Amino acid sequence: MANMKKKVKIWLWGLWLFSVAVVSCRKGDEVPPAVDYGYEYFDFSEGKVRIYAVTEIHIDDPAGVYDTLHYFVKEVYAQPFIDDEGRDAMKIFIYRSDSCTDSLWSVPTVYWAVLTGKEAIVYEENVPFVKMCFPVEDGKVWDGNKYNDNGVQEYRISSVVGDSVKVVHQELSSLISEDVEYEVYAKHKGLTRKVVKHLEAYYDNLNLPIEERLKYGYVYEKKLISCY
């Protein structure tokens, strides 16, 4: 009887060791979830075309200037090349038109872009701006002017909702001024909206919204209407 009990204990002990080994093996075989870096927010692939509707408003109340412009911008991603630092880069041809008719597009301005493992950099008139840092994370902050001489400019991801991310470049306001700049990106579409707003108001009737007592103002809004 004693031998039987001893055999049962040994069998149970062996069964426990086997169970631990199996669980440990399973844990070792588990593959950690892949990190979503967010590269899909910047599709710089050759042949990509984006068309935007743009509105610009210029206000100079003392001079009686109240101008509003509406036009379209087309961005064509073409001519991949290797830049001076040995990186894969893509030229972006920027066209402007008063309508969406292809035959009426202007002579293009040429930008170019680089997508590294850590950054998306766009050279606008040869001035580099770090549009995004990867991986894309809510609250992430970086210097958008890291590679130019314009001084430090904090860029901040203010929200990541679904497939959309908002990057704030400037967000300042007071009783007589408002300075706001931000861009919104969507996965597989790229830039979907850009807003620049610089307002200066009269120091009167402070109970009124700043838009109702403007002295000077500039508003720029760019919205994606087609992507293919």
Side-chain angles (χ1 to χ4, degrees):
M1 188 71 177
N3 289 335
M4 179 63 68
K5 288 182 179 180
K6 185 176 181 180
K7 289 181 180 179
V8 170
K9 287 182 179 179
I10 293 174
W11 182 81
L12 290 174
W13 176 252
L15 180 62
W16 180 81
L17 287 176
F18 176 77
S19 300
V20 170
V22 170
V23 171
S24 299
C25 186
R26 286 179 179 174
K27 286 183 178 180
D29 289 342
E30 288 180 359
V31 178
V35 176
D36 182 3
Y37 284 89
Y39 298 136
E40 299 90 346
Y41 291 109
F42 290 87
D43 186 354
F44 293 158
S45 56
E46 186 176 9
K48 196 75 175 181
V49 177
R50 297 183 178 93
I51 299 177
Y52 299 89
V54 178
T55 298
E56 281 192 66
I57 301 172
H58 299 261
I59 298 172
D60 184 340
D61 188 65
V65 175
Y66 306 91
D67 291 336
T68 300
L69 300 174
H70 299 285
Y71 56 91
F72 298 89
V73 168
K74 179 168 67 173
E75 298 182 358
V76 179
Y77 290 71
Q79 295 186 16
F81 67 100
I82 304 299
D83 71 1
D84 294 338
E85 298 182 34
R87 303 173 300 183
D88 291 326
M90 180 68 69
K91 288 186 179 180
I92 311 170
F93 293 85
I94 313 293
Y95 301 84
R96 174 171 165 168
S97 176
D98 292 330
S99 74
C100 282
T101 304
D102 287 341
S103 60
L104 298 177
W105 294 103
S106 67
V107 175
T109 300
V110 181
Y111 291 178
W112 55 285
V114 174
L115 183 63
T116 72
K118 295 182 179 180
E119 299 168 328
I121 306 169
V122 177
Y123 290 74
E124 301 177 359
E125 299 179 353
N126 290 322
V127 179
F129 296 93
V130 182
K131 296 294 187 175
M132 187 74 75
C133 276
F134 304 109
V136 171
E137 297 171 336
D138 194 2
K140 176 169 281 191
V141 175
W142 67 93
D143 179 12
N145 291 338
K146 179 180 179 180
Y147 300 113
N148 63 49
D149 298 323
N150 293 342
V152 176
Q153 178 69 53
E154 181 181 284
Y155 284 19
R156 173 176 54 86
I157 297 178
S158 66
S159 64
V160 180
V161 180
D163 288 340
S164 180
V165 57
K166 181 179 179 180
V167 180
V168 175
H169 301 176
Q170 190 174 22
E171 199 170 38
L172 301 171
S173 63
S174 69
L175 290 174
I176 60 169
S177 66
E178 183 177 347
D179 296 287
V180 174
E181 296 183 21
Y182 66 84
E183 294 177 336
V184 178
Y185 296 86
K187 285 188 175 181
H188 308 295
K189 292 183 179 180
L191 179 69
T192 59
R193 188 182 184 201
K194 178 176 182 176
V195 172
V196 177
K197 185 187 295 185
H198 299 293
L199 308 177
E200 181 181 342
Y202 289 104
Y203 203 81
D204 299 318
N205 301 315
L206 298 181
N207 58 312
L208 295 177
I210 193 170
E211 290 82 3
E212 295 183 22
R213 46 191 175 87
L214 282 179
K215 186 176 183 180
Y216 304 107
Y218 173 73
V219 177
Y220 175 96
E221 184 167 8
K222 177 180 178 181
K223 289 183 179 180
L224 182 69
I225 60 173
S226 180
C227 179
Y228 55 91

